[in-house]
Amino acid sequence: MRKQWVAVFVSLGLGLASPIVSADESFDNYVSGLKQEAREKGIDDAILESAFADVKFIERAVKADKNQPEKKLTLDEYLPRAVPQWKIEQANQYYQQHKQTLDRIGREYGVQPRFIVALWGVESNFGRLTGSYNVIEALTTLAYEGRREAFFREQVMAALTILQQGHITAADMKGSWAGAMGQPQFMPTSYLTFAVDGNGDDKVDIWKTEDDVFASAANYLKKSGWDDQYTWGRQVRLPEGLGDNLKGVESQKMKTLSEWQQLGVRRLNGAALPKVDVNAWLVQPDDNHGRAYLVYGNYQTLLKWNRSHYFALAVSTLADSIR
């Protein structure tokens, strides 16, 4: 529940005070405050009543948020778990099964279909693991808990907007303990920004309609900077003594492939890098140990989806396995 809170903060130089939620505020009162804010944003009372009907504080959502795994797997341990052989086989099967739709969406949005399928597989196991939490209840719980209140409160308002727009009912709006929704696991703000109608039925259903799932994922990538003229990157071999200051995805660490070649970076088999005019960054997620990669702009786009090298490399690895 709520921990220690300061009553107010003062904006230095401006003398402005902004109230902070009091420590003894009850969950029911907090919900009332959310409803009032939503009304002021134009959400109908009928939507609010259905959305918050029987909403309760979910202790297990807070525990899940706090108790992230402490043991960090190495990339060599993680990738076989995230991209096992059975998932590779299923990714190829689904790619063939939906090829006509995927090709159409890929052309429309300028995204290679194999990356759409890979995101689908990594995020929700091809739509099978989408979460069973009531999204409004989970988001309200995490907003009330308070550690990231501003973020989750914004997500509550976005989720209510989705309900107001009629895309789904409150009862059917299911997701993860953190409020990530549907087969692509979009947070509500991402839904409002990127989710699109993929089959022309004037609905945007990322829970059950695969055309909408594929188009929404492609739209997310395209709007975030995807370029289908390139892939994501490649695993490479590093020379002895290459400085750590060269590694990372910061803009100042970008170099052309020819510049990386001059620094001694090679393909994994020791051959020269491709003679292509493309910018790349060097990443080595396990510090000075384990796998190293030269990654391109599309990899940076995957990091906008989820700011985790392990996630981006899982998606990239699965995409490369689809033929």
Side-chain angles (χ1 to χ4, degrees), residues 7-316:
V8 297
F9 71 84
V10 177
S11 179
L12 296 178
L14 297 177
L16 300 175
S18 179
I20 301 296
V21 181
S22 62
D24 59 354
E25 182 180 23
S26 73
F27 182 70
D28 288 344
N29 286 342
Y30 190 79
V31 169
S32 296
L34 288 175
K35 288 181 177 180
Q36 183 56 37
E37 180 181 344
R39 286 190 190 96
E40 293 171 359
K41 294 180 182 294
I43 305 300
D44 296 340
D45 280 337
I47 295 294
L48 295 176
E49 290 308 310
S50 64
F52 288 103
D54 301 320
V55 163
K56 298 178 179 61
F57 183 85
I58 313 174
E59 186 67 39
R60 66 185 186 278
V62 175
K63 288 181 178 178
D65 188 37
K66 290 181 177 179
N67 299 329
Q68 300 298 319
E70 294 182 4
K71 182 182 182 298
K72 185 177 185 298
L73 299 175
T74 67
L75 196 56
D76 283 338
E77 294 170 327
Y78 172 79
L79 281 178
R81 300 186 188 191
V83 191
Q85 184 59 37
W86 63 262
K87 183 168 283 190
I88 290 172
E89 293 171 359
Q90 288 190 5
N92 279 274
Q93 292 169 5
Y94 283 122
Y95 179 86
Q96 294 301 325
Q97 179 181 334
H98 297 283
K99 190 173 188 305
Q100 184 175 355
T101 297
L102 288 164
D103 286 347
R104 171 179 59 82
I105 289 171
R107 288 191 300 270
E108 181 177 352
Y109 290 95
V111 175
Q112 301 94 313
R114 61 194 179 95
F115 286 95
I116 300 171
V117 174
L119 280 163
W120 185 36
V122 170
E123 281 289 11
S124 66
N125 193 16
F126 311 106
R128 289 193 289 269
L129 301 175
T130 60
S132 59
Y133 283 82
N134 177 307
V135 167
I136 295 293
E137 192 169 52
L139 293 171
T140 299
T141 293
L142 293 171
Y144 174 76
E145 189 270 338
R147 292 186 305 140
R148 293 181 286 165
E149 182 187 11
F151 172 77
F152 284 112
R153 196 174 181 108
E154 179 186 19
Q155 298 304 322
V156 172
M157 296 302 144
L160 292 170
T161 300
I162 293 167
L163 296 176
Q164 174 92 352
Q165 293 176 353
H167 297 294
I168 194 169
T169 66
D172 290 334
M173 184 183 265
K174 302 294 184 182
S176 73
W177 57 263
M181 307 184 305
Q183 297 187 34
Q185 291 290 276
F186 279 2
M187 293 301 289
T189 51
S190 292
Y191 177 100
L192 292 175
T193 304
F194 301 112
V196 292
D197 174 13
N199 62 359
D201 67 355
D202 295 324
K203 298 178 182 179
V204 183
D205 178 12
I206 63 170
W207 289 267
K208 296 179 181 178
T209 304
E210 288 162 346
D211 288 28
D212 292 0
V213 173
F214 301 155
S216 297
N219 189 46
Y220 191 118
L221 293 178
K222 187 61 176 179
K223 284 189 173 181
S224 300
W226 194 269
D227 185 345
D228 66 351
Q229 299 304 303
Y230 299 97
T231 184
W232 64 273
R234 67 178 61 246
Q235 191 174 355
V236 293
R237 180 185 299 180
L238 302 183
E240 290 291 334
L242 188 69
D244 289 343
N245 61 314
L246 297 175
K247 301 170 186 176
V249 292
E250 297 82 0
S251 59
Q252 67 271 22
K253 296 181 180 180
M254 180 184 70
K255 298 183 185 300
T256 64
L257 285 185
S258 61
E259 288 173 326
W260 288 117
Q261 172 77 19
Q262 292 170 9
L263 288 167
V265 179
R266 297 291 183 269
R267 298 181 196 237
L268 195 59
N269 63 5
L273 296 175
K275 293 182 179 180
V276 180
D277 184 19
V278 61
N279 295 319
W281 294 259
L282 178 63
V283 299
Q284 194 170 22
D286 295 331
D287 300 322
N288 293 325
H289 309 286
R291 307 182 189 203
Y293 300 85
L294 281 179
V295 298
Y296 310 145
N298 286 340
Y299 183 90
Q300 297 275 34
T301 299
L302 291 174
L303 289 179
K304 293 177 184 177
W305 184 297
N306 184 324
R307 199 73 189 173
S308 162
H309 286 298
Y310 280 28
F311 169 85
L313 289 169
V315 172
S316 300

